[in-house]
Amino acid sequence: MSNEDKSLTDSLRNAILQALLGSQDLDNVLLIMKNLDYEAKLDLIDSVWALLDSESGGGGAARWMVEYIQVVLLIDRSSSDKALSHPNRSATALNLLSLPVAKSALSECHGKDHEASYHPDTFWPLSEMCGWIIEFTESILSAASQFYYSIPSDSATRTIDPALLVFLNQSLVSTWVDSLGYTLRFVKHVDVPKGTSIDSKTLVTRSVEDTLSQSPVNVSLLLEALKALKIEAPISAADWRNAYRHLILPERLVKVAKDIMSQVLKPDVVSLLPLHVRMARLHLIPDEHATVERDIITKKPIADGDWPPPLGAGATCRRCGGKTMINFSRSPSTSRWRLWELSFERCICGGRWKPYNGPN
Protein backbone atom coordinates (compact mmCIF):
# COMPACT_ATOMS: atom_id res chain seq x y z
CA MET A 1 0.00 0.00 0.00
CA SER A 2 1.42 3.39 -1.00
CA ASN A 3 1.71 6.23 1.51
CA GLU A 4 -1.09 8.02 -0.33
CA ASP A 5 -3.40 4.99 -0.08
CA LYS A 6 -2.51 4.49 3.58
CA SER A 7 -3.24 8.13 4.32
CA LEU A 8 -6.63 7.84 2.60
CA THR A 9 -7.46 4.64 4.49
CA ASP A 10 -6.49 6.24 7.81
CA SER A 11 -8.61 9.28 6.98
CA LEU A 12 -11.65 7.14 6.10
CA ARG A 13 -11.18 5.00 9.20
CA ASN A 14 -11.06 8.05 11.47
CA ALA A 15 -14.13 9.56 9.79
CA ILE A 16 -16.12 6.34 10.27
CA LEU A 17 -14.93 5.97 13.85
CA GLN A 18 -16.04 9.49 14.71
CA ALA A 19 -19.38 8.94 12.98
CA LEU A 20 -20.03 5.80 15.02
CA LEU A 21 -18.92 7.29 18.32
CA GLY A 22 -21.13 10.29 17.56
CA SER A 23 -24.11 7.96 16.92
CA GLN A 24 -24.51 9.22 13.37
CA ASP A 25 -26.73 7.44 10.87
CA LEU A 26 -25.07 4.37 9.33
CA ASP A 27 -26.01 5.76 5.91
CA ASN A 28 -23.36 8.41 6.59
CA VAL A 29 -20.84 5.63 7.17
CA LEU A 30 -21.74 4.10 3.80
CA LEU A 31 -21.43 7.51 2.17
CA ILE A 32 -17.88 7.88 3.52
CA MET A 33 -16.97 4.60 1.77
CA LYS A 34 -18.90 5.21 -1.45
CA ASN A 35 -15.82 5.04 -3.71
CA LEU A 36 -14.57 1.72 -2.32
CA ASP A 37 -15.41 -1.70 -3.73
CA TYR A 38 -17.30 -4.35 -1.72
CA GLU A 39 -14.29 -6.10 -0.15
CA ALA A 40 -12.51 -2.82 0.58
CA LYS A 41 -15.58 -1.59 2.48
CA LEU A 42 -15.62 -4.72 4.63
CA ASP A 43 -11.84 -4.46 5.19
CA LEU A 44 -12.27 -0.89 6.35
CA ILE A 45 -15.19 -1.75 8.64
CA ASP A 46 -13.17 -4.58 10.20
CA SER A 47 -10.29 -2.20 10.92
CA VAL A 48 -12.69 0.28 12.54
CA TRP A 49 -14.26 -2.39 14.75
CA ALA A 50 -10.81 -3.55 15.84
CA LEU A 51 -10.48 -0.09 17.41
CA LEU A 52 -14.00 -0.24 18.87
CA ASP A 53 -13.20 -3.47 20.73
CA SER A 54 -11.62 -1.35 23.45
CA GLU A 55 -14.61 1.01 23.67
CA SER A 56 -16.70 0.22 26.73
CA GLY A 57 -18.99 3.26 26.79
CA GLY A 58 -22.38 3.75 25.15
CA GLY A 59 -23.52 0.16 25.33
CA GLY A 60 -20.13 -1.51 25.03
CA ALA A 61 -19.59 -4.80 23.20
CA ALA A 62 -23.32 -5.54 22.80
CA ARG A 63 -23.90 -2.21 21.02
CA TRP A 64 -20.92 -2.61 18.69
CA MET A 65 -21.94 -6.17 17.83
CA VAL A 66 -25.43 -4.96 16.83
CA GLU A 67 -24.04 -2.06 14.81
CA TYR A 68 -21.54 -4.35 13.09
CA ILE A 69 -24.40 -6.60 11.96
CA GLN A 70 -26.31 -3.51 10.80
CA VAL A 71 -23.45 -2.03 8.79
CA VAL A 72 -22.55 -5.35 7.11
CA LEU A 73 -26.24 -5.76 6.22
CA LEU A 74 -26.20 -2.26 4.73
CA ILE A 75 -23.06 -3.04 2.68
CA ASP A 76 -24.54 -6.35 1.50
CA ARG A 77 -27.83 -4.78 0.42
CA SER A 78 -26.16 -1.83 -1.32
CA SER A 79 -23.70 -3.98 -3.27
CA SER A 80 -24.22 -3.86 -7.02
CA ASP A 81 -22.53 -7.24 -7.32
CA LYS A 82 -24.99 -9.65 -5.72
CA ALA A 83 -22.57 -12.52 -6.29
CA LEU A 84 -20.29 -11.03 -3.64
CA SER A 85 -22.91 -10.37 -0.97
CA HIS A 86 -24.58 -13.13 1.04
CA PRO A 87 -28.42 -13.23 0.93
CA ASN A 88 -28.45 -15.89 3.65
CA ARG A 89 -26.40 -13.61 5.89
CA SER A 90 -28.79 -10.73 5.26
CA ALA A 91 -31.79 -12.83 6.28
CA THR A 92 -29.96 -14.07 9.38
CA ALA A 93 -28.95 -10.50 10.25
CA LEU A 94 -32.60 -9.48 10.56
CA ASN A 95 -33.26 -12.44 12.86
CA LEU A 96 -30.25 -11.63 15.04
CA LEU A 97 -31.35 -8.00 15.24
CA SER A 98 -34.88 -9.15 16.12
CA LEU A 99 -33.76 -11.15 19.15
CA PRO A 100 -33.14 -8.17 21.49
CA VAL A 101 -36.37 -6.63 20.18
CA ALA A 102 -38.33 -9.72 21.21
CA LYS A 103 -36.69 -9.68 24.62
CA SER A 104 -37.52 -6.01 25.12
CA ALA A 105 -41.19 -6.59 24.26
CA LEU A 106 -41.56 -9.31 26.89
CA SER A 107 -39.62 -7.40 29.53
CA GLU A 108 -40.88 -3.84 29.01
CA CYS A 109 -44.53 -4.82 28.66
CA HIS A 110 -44.39 -6.71 31.94
CA GLY A 111 -45.71 -5.30 35.20
CA LYS A 112 -43.41 -3.21 37.37
CA ASP A 113 -42.74 -6.27 39.47
CA HIS A 114 -41.39 -8.97 37.16
CA GLU A 115 -43.43 -11.53 39.05
CA ALA A 116 -46.58 -9.56 38.29
CA SER A 117 -49.02 -10.20 35.46
CA TYR A 118 -49.00 -8.75 31.98
CA HIS A 119 -51.58 -6.13 31.12
CA PRO A 120 -54.53 -7.45 29.04
CA ASP A 121 -53.70 -5.24 26.03
CA THR A 122 -50.39 -7.07 25.65
CA PHE A 123 -51.77 -10.63 25.67
CA TRP A 124 -52.20 -11.27 21.97
CA PRO A 125 -49.25 -9.19 20.69
CA LEU A 126 -46.89 -10.91 23.10
CA SER A 127 -48.23 -14.33 22.21
CA GLU A 128 -47.17 -13.60 18.59
CA MET A 129 -43.73 -12.57 19.87
CA CYS A 130 -43.43 -15.81 21.84
CA GLY A 131 -44.33 -17.72 18.68
CA TRP A 132 -41.52 -16.01 16.78
CA ILE A 133 -39.02 -16.81 19.55
CA ILE A 134 -39.89 -20.52 19.27
CA GLU A 135 -39.67 -20.31 15.48
CA PHE A 136 -36.24 -18.65 15.75
CA THR A 137 -35.10 -21.32 18.22
CA GLU A 138 -36.16 -24.16 15.95
CA SER A 139 -34.31 -22.64 13.00
CA ILE A 140 -31.09 -22.27 15.02
CA LEU A 141 -31.20 -25.84 16.32
CA SER A 142 -32.01 -27.20 12.88
CA ALA A 143 -28.96 -25.47 11.38
CA ALA A 144 -26.85 -26.61 14.34
CA SER A 145 -27.77 -30.26 13.93
CA GLN A 146 -27.06 -30.22 10.20
CA PHE A 147 -23.63 -28.72 10.91
CA TYR A 148 -22.80 -30.90 13.91
CA TYR A 149 -23.61 -34.23 12.32
CA SER A 150 -21.80 -33.42 9.08
CA ILE A 151 -18.47 -32.46 10.69
CA PRO A 152 -15.72 -34.88 9.63
CA SER A 153 -13.51 -36.39 12.31
CA ASP A 154 -10.61 -34.09 11.46
CA SER A 155 -12.75 -30.97 12.15
CA ALA A 156 -11.24 -29.06 9.24
CA THR A 157 -12.12 -25.49 8.32
CA ARG A 158 -15.80 -25.32 7.35
CA THR A 159 -18.25 -22.99 5.66
CA ILE A 160 -21.22 -22.31 7.91
CA ASP A 161 -24.77 -21.11 8.10
CA PRO A 162 -24.51 -17.64 9.71
CA ALA A 163 -27.29 -18.59 12.14
CA LEU A 164 -24.81 -20.88 13.92
CA LEU A 165 -22.79 -17.88 15.06
CA VAL A 166 -25.40 -17.32 17.77
CA PHE A 167 -23.66 -20.08 19.73
CA LEU A 168 -20.29 -18.32 19.45
CA ASN A 169 -21.43 -14.93 20.75
CA GLN A 170 -22.05 -14.62 24.48
CA SER A 171 -24.21 -11.52 24.09
CA LEU A 172 -26.52 -13.30 21.65
CA VAL A 173 -26.69 -16.43 23.79
CA SER A 174 -27.57 -14.31 26.82
CA THR A 175 -30.34 -12.50 24.92
CA TRP A 176 -31.65 -15.82 23.58
CA VAL A 177 -31.71 -17.26 27.11
CA ASP A 178 -33.61 -14.22 28.41
CA SER A 179 -36.12 -14.41 25.56
CA LEU A 180 -36.83 -18.10 26.18
CA GLY A 181 -37.16 -17.44 29.91
CA TYR A 182 -39.66 -14.65 29.30
CA THR A 183 -41.62 -16.91 26.95
CA LEU A 184 -42.05 -19.53 29.69
CA ARG A 185 -42.91 -16.88 32.27
CA PHE A 186 -45.44 -15.27 29.94
CA VAL A 187 -47.66 -18.34 30.12
CA LYS A 188 -47.60 -18.26 33.94
CA HIS A 189 -48.32 -14.56 34.40
CA VAL A 190 -51.25 -13.78 32.13
CA ASP A 191 -54.28 -12.64 34.09
CA VAL A 192 -57.93 -12.66 33.14
CA PRO A 193 -59.21 -9.11 32.39
CA LYS A 194 -61.82 -8.08 34.94
CA GLY A 195 -65.37 -7.79 33.70
CA THR A 196 -64.87 -9.82 30.52
CA SER A 197 -67.11 -12.68 29.51
CA ILE A 198 -64.37 -14.51 27.61
CA ASP A 199 -61.51 -16.15 29.44
CA SER A 200 -58.72 -14.39 27.55
CA LYS A 201 -56.13 -16.00 29.76
CA THR A 202 -57.17 -19.44 28.60
CA LEU A 203 -57.21 -18.39 24.94
CA VAL A 204 -53.80 -16.71 25.02
CA THR A 205 -51.97 -19.21 27.19
CA ARG A 206 -53.40 -22.09 25.20
CA SER A 207 -52.06 -20.45 22.03
CA VAL A 208 -48.52 -20.24 23.44
CA GLU A 209 -48.73 -23.58 25.25
CA ASP A 210 -49.80 -25.26 22.00
CA THR A 211 -46.80 -23.73 20.24
CA LEU A 212 -44.51 -25.03 22.97
CA SER A 213 -46.08 -28.49 23.13
CA GLN A 214 -46.04 -28.93 19.34
CA SER A 215 -42.43 -27.86 19.02
CA PRO A 216 -39.77 -30.59 18.67
CA VAL A 217 -37.76 -28.52 21.16
CA ASN A 218 -38.18 -28.89 24.92
CA VAL A 219 -37.76 -25.21 25.74
CA SER A 220 -37.36 -25.72 29.49
CA LEU A 221 -34.50 -28.18 29.02
CA LEU A 222 -32.95 -26.07 26.27
CA LEU A 223 -32.98 -23.10 28.64
CA GLU A 224 -31.14 -25.14 31.26
CA ALA A 225 -28.61 -26.35 28.67
CA LEU A 226 -27.90 -22.82 27.40
CA LYS A 227 -27.47 -21.46 30.92
CA ALA A 228 -25.02 -24.26 31.72
CA LEU A 229 -22.94 -23.91 28.53
CA LYS A 230 -19.23 -24.36 29.11
CA ILE A 231 -16.91 -22.82 26.54
CA GLU A 232 -13.36 -24.05 27.01
CA ALA A 233 -11.72 -21.62 24.58
CA PRO A 234 -13.08 -18.03 24.68
CA ILE A 235 -13.90 -16.51 21.30
CA SER A 236 -12.72 -12.97 20.66
CA ALA A 237 -14.93 -10.31 19.09
CA ALA A 238 -12.51 -10.19 16.15
CA ASP A 239 -12.81 -13.97 15.62
CA TRP A 240 -16.60 -13.69 15.65
CA ARG A 241 -16.63 -10.83 13.13
CA ASN A 242 -14.23 -12.68 10.85
CA ALA A 243 -16.49 -15.74 10.90
CA TYR A 244 -19.58 -13.59 10.28
CA ARG A 245 -17.93 -11.80 7.37
CA HIS A 246 -16.52 -14.85 5.57
CA LEU A 247 -19.03 -17.46 6.82
CA ILE A 248 -16.10 -19.77 7.42
CA LEU A 249 -14.96 -21.29 10.70
CA PRO A 250 -11.26 -22.09 11.07
CA GLU A 251 -10.40 -25.49 12.50
CA ARG A 252 -10.02 -24.16 16.05
CA LEU A 253 -13.51 -22.62 16.05
CA VAL A 254 -15.03 -25.70 14.41
CA LYS A 255 -13.92 -27.64 17.47
CA VAL A 256 -15.33 -24.97 19.79
CA ALA A 257 -18.65 -24.94 17.92
CA LYS A 258 -18.86 -28.73 17.95
CA ASP A 259 -18.25 -28.81 21.70
CA ILE A 260 -20.96 -26.18 22.33
CA MET A 261 -23.49 -27.96 20.15
CA SER A 262 -22.82 -31.29 21.83
CA GLN A 263 -24.07 -29.71 25.06
CA VAL A 264 -27.35 -28.64 23.44
CA LEU A 265 -28.25 -31.24 20.81
CA LYS A 266 -29.40 -33.92 23.22
CA PRO A 267 -32.39 -36.23 22.64
CA ASP A 268 -34.28 -34.89 25.63
CA VAL A 269 -33.75 -31.29 24.45
CA VAL A 270 -34.62 -31.59 20.76
CA SER A 271 -36.20 -34.31 18.64
CA LEU A 272 -34.22 -33.94 15.44
CA LEU A 273 -36.34 -35.87 12.96
CA PRO A 274 -39.57 -33.98 13.73
CA LEU A 275 -37.54 -30.75 13.73
CA HIS A 276 -36.14 -31.38 10.24
CA VAL A 277 -39.57 -32.35 8.96
CA ARG A 278 -40.96 -29.10 10.31
CA MET A 279 -38.11 -26.93 8.98
CA ALA A 280 -38.42 -28.58 5.55
CA ARG A 281 -42.14 -27.63 5.57
CA LEU A 282 -43.08 -31.27 5.02
CA HIS A 283 -46.46 -31.02 6.70
CA LEU A 284 -49.03 -33.80 6.31
CA ILE A 285 -51.64 -31.13 6.90
CA PRO A 286 -50.99 -27.83 5.08
CA ASP A 287 -49.81 -25.14 7.49
CA GLU A 288 -51.16 -21.80 6.33
CA HIS A 289 -48.75 -19.91 8.60
CA ALA A 290 -45.61 -21.79 7.55
CA THR A 291 -44.30 -19.17 5.16
CA VAL A 292 -46.25 -16.07 6.17
CA GLU A 293 -44.17 -12.91 6.35
CA ARG A 294 -43.92 -11.34 9.80
CA ASP A 295 -44.02 -7.72 10.92
CA ILE A 296 -40.37 -6.64 11.19
CA ILE A 297 -41.00 -5.23 14.69
CA THR A 298 -43.97 -6.96 16.35
CA LYS A 299 -43.48 -10.35 14.62
CA LYS A 300 -47.20 -10.61 13.98
CA PRO A 301 -47.81 -12.64 10.79
CA ILE A 302 -48.78 -10.42 7.85
CA ALA A 303 -51.43 -12.31 5.91
CA ASP A 304 -52.32 -11.55 2.29
CA GLY A 305 -55.29 -9.48 3.36
CA ASP A 306 -53.28 -7.40 5.84
CA TRP A 307 -51.04 -5.70 3.26
CA PRO A 308 -51.31 -3.14 1.90
CA PRO A 309 -52.70 -1.58 5.10
CA PRO A 310 -55.11 1.35 5.32
CA LEU A 311 -53.44 4.63 4.38
CA GLY A 312 -51.02 5.76 7.08
CA ALA A 313 -51.49 2.58 9.12
CA GLY A 314 -48.20 0.91 8.24
CA ALA A 315 -44.69 1.55 7.00
CA THR A 316 -41.79 -0.06 5.17
CA CYS A 317 -38.11 0.31 5.97
CA ARG A 318 -36.20 2.33 3.39
CA ARG A 319 -33.09 0.25 4.06
CA CYS A 320 -34.06 -3.43 4.44
CA GLY A 321 -37.61 -3.34 3.07
CA GLY A 322 -39.11 -4.75 6.27
CA LYS A 323 -42.82 -4.11 6.79
CA THR A 324 -44.63 -3.06 9.93
CA MET A 325 -48.31 -2.56 10.69
CA ILE A 326 -47.50 -0.06 13.44
CA ASN A 327 -49.45 3.17 12.95
CA PHE A 328 -46.89 5.86 13.77
CA SER A 329 -49.29 8.67 12.88
CA ARG A 330 -51.92 7.74 15.46
CA SER A 331 -51.72 9.61 18.74
CA PRO A 332 -49.97 7.72 21.55
CA SER A 333 -51.82 6.21 24.48
CA THR A 334 -50.99 4.91 27.93
CA SER A 335 -51.03 1.32 26.64
CA ARG A 336 -47.78 -0.45 27.48
CA TRP A 337 -47.81 -2.19 24.11
CA ARG A 338 -48.56 1.02 22.20
CA LEU A 339 -45.75 2.88 23.95
CA TRP A 340 -43.38 0.03 23.16
CA GLU A 341 -44.39 0.11 19.48
CA LEU A 342 -43.84 3.86 19.23
CA SER A 343 -40.33 3.54 20.67
CA PHE A 344 -39.21 2.18 17.28
CA GLU A 345 -38.57 5.43 15.51
CA ARG A 346 -36.40 3.36 13.19
CA CYS A 347 -36.39 -0.20 11.89
CA ILE A 348 -34.36 -2.87 13.68
CA CYS A 349 -31.71 -2.50 10.94
CA GLY A 350 -31.38 1.21 11.71
CA GLY A 351 -33.22 2.32 8.58
CA ARG A 352 -35.81 5.08 8.40
CA TRP A 353 -39.49 4.38 7.90
CA LYS A 354 -41.45 5.18 4.78
CA PRO A 355 -45.14 5.50 5.77
CA TYR A 356 -47.53 3.61 3.51
CA ASN A 357 -49.53 6.22 1.64
CA GLY A 358 -51.03 4.09 -1.09
CA PRO A 359 -49.59 2.49 -4.25
CA ASN A 360 -47.04 4.57 -6.14
Side-chain angles (χ1 to χ4, degrees):
M1 181 184 292
S2 67
N3 289 335
E4 183 178 350
D5 288 340
K6 185 178 185 303
S7 177
L8 175 60
T9 299
D10 290 344
S11 176
L12 291 174
R13 182 189 300 113
N14 290 334
I16 292 172
L17 186 61
Q18 293 308 310
L20 291 167
L21 293 175
S23 298
Q24 293 185 29
D25 194 303
L26 291 181
D27 288 321
N28 293 340
V29 171
L30 193 66
L31 188 61
I32 293 170
M33 304 185 293
K34 65 179 181 179
N35 294 323
L36 301 180
D37 63 26
Y38 178 77
E39 292 295 337
K41 288 175 182 176
L42 291 175
D43 286 341
L44 185 58
I45 288 300
D46 283 344
S47 68
V48 170
W49 255 261
L51 298 175
L52 290 172
D53 283 341
S54 60
E55 285 287 337
S56 58
R63 172 193 171 183
W64 300 126
M65 183 269 296
V66 166
E67 293 203 9
Y68 180 79
I69 294 173
Q70 288 178 331
V71 77
V72 172
L73 174 64
L74 183 55
I75 292 172
D76 277 344
R77 294 188 67 88
S78 63
S79 173
S80 58
D81 188 347
K82 299 306 178 185
L84 292 174
S85 59
H86 298 277
N88 194 26
R89 181 171 62 200
S90 294
T92 297
L94 293 175
N95 278 335
L96 298 184
L97 294 171
S98 293
L99 196 54
V101 171
K103 173 190 170 182
S104 75
L106 286 159
S107 60
E108 294 176 25
C109 293
H110 210 294
K112 293 182 179 179
D113 177 356
H114 280 260
E115 292 304 314
S117 300
Y118 289 88
H119 192 274
D121 71 357
T122 68
F123 288 178
W124 287 111
L126 290 182
S127 71
E128 301 284 9
M129 193 66 79
C130 290
W132 177 84
I133 291 169
I134 301 305
E135 187 178 285
F136 170 85
T137 297
E138 292 174 352
S139 69
I140 297 297
L141 294 183
S142 176
S145 66
Q146 292 179 45
F147 179 81
Y148 181 79
Y149 290 107
S150 65
I151 296 176
S153 57
D154 59 3
S155 297
T157 296
R158 295 290 307 278
T159 56
I160 59 163
D161 183 325
L164 298 178
L165 292 173
V166 169
F167 289 105
L168 300 180
N169 187 294
Q170 185 54 50
S171 177
L172 288 171
V173 170
S174 178
T175 304
W176 188 16
V177 165
D178 289 343
S179 299
L180 290 172
Y182 278 121
T183 297
L184 295 178
R185 287 199 289 273
F186 174 73
V187 177
K188 298 177 182 177
H189 297 296
V190 174
D191 260 353
V192 182
K194 294 179 179 179
T196 58
S197 57
I198 299 176
D199 188 345
S200 295
K201 177 180 180 180
T202 299
L203 293 174
V204 175
T205 55
R206 183 174 297 162
S207 171
V208 179
E209 286 172 342
D210 284 349
T211 300
L212 291 169
S213 64
Q214 293 169 12
S215 175
V217 180
N218 185 317
V219 174
S220 296
L221 293 182
L222 172 63
L223 194 55
E224 292 178 13
L226 291 174
K227 288 180 178 179
L229 275 182
K230 295 179 181 178
I231 303 177
E232 300 297 333
I235 301 156
S236 70
D239 282 342
W240 191 88
R241 291 194 301 271
N242 189 59
Y244 186 78
R245 172 181 171 176
H246 298 288
L247 301 184
I248 293 175
L249 283 185
E251 183 177 346
R252 178 180 68 84
L253 291 187
V254 169
K255 292 178 179 178
V256 173
K258 184 175 181 179
D259 179 62
I260 292 173
M261 292 173 195
S262 70
Q263 300 174 57
V264 174
L265 297 175
K266 298 179 178 180
D268 56 343
V269 174
V270 54
S271 300
L272 292 179
L273 181 57
L275 177 63
H276 291 314
V277 168
R278 172 172 291 212
M279 298 311 296
R281 309 299 187 196
L282 301 176
H283 301 283
L284 296 178
I285 300 175
D287 183 351
E288 62 180 4
H289 298 299
T291 58
V292 170
E293 181 180 10
R294 285 183 180 267
D295 188 302
I296 194 70
I297 300 294
T298 68
K299 301 308 173 193
K300 179 180 179 180
I302 299 177
D304 291 339
D306 294 334
W307 196 273
L311 293 184
T316 56
C317 175
R318 297 176 186 273
R319 182 180 294 172
C320 73
K323 299 174 183 175
T324 183
M325 299 294 290
I326 297 174
N327 187 340
F328 293 102
S329 63
R330 200 178 73 195
S331 58
S333 69
T334 57
S335 159
R336 278 184 183 272
W337 179 255
R338 180 67 179 147
L339 293 173
W340 180 82
E341 283 186 329
L342 292 178
S343 70
F344 288 90
E345 297 178 355
R346 295 200 176 196
C347 178
I348 59 173
C349 73
R352 296 179 183 276
W353 296 116
K354 178 183 179 182
Y356 179 77
N357 292 313
N360 295 329

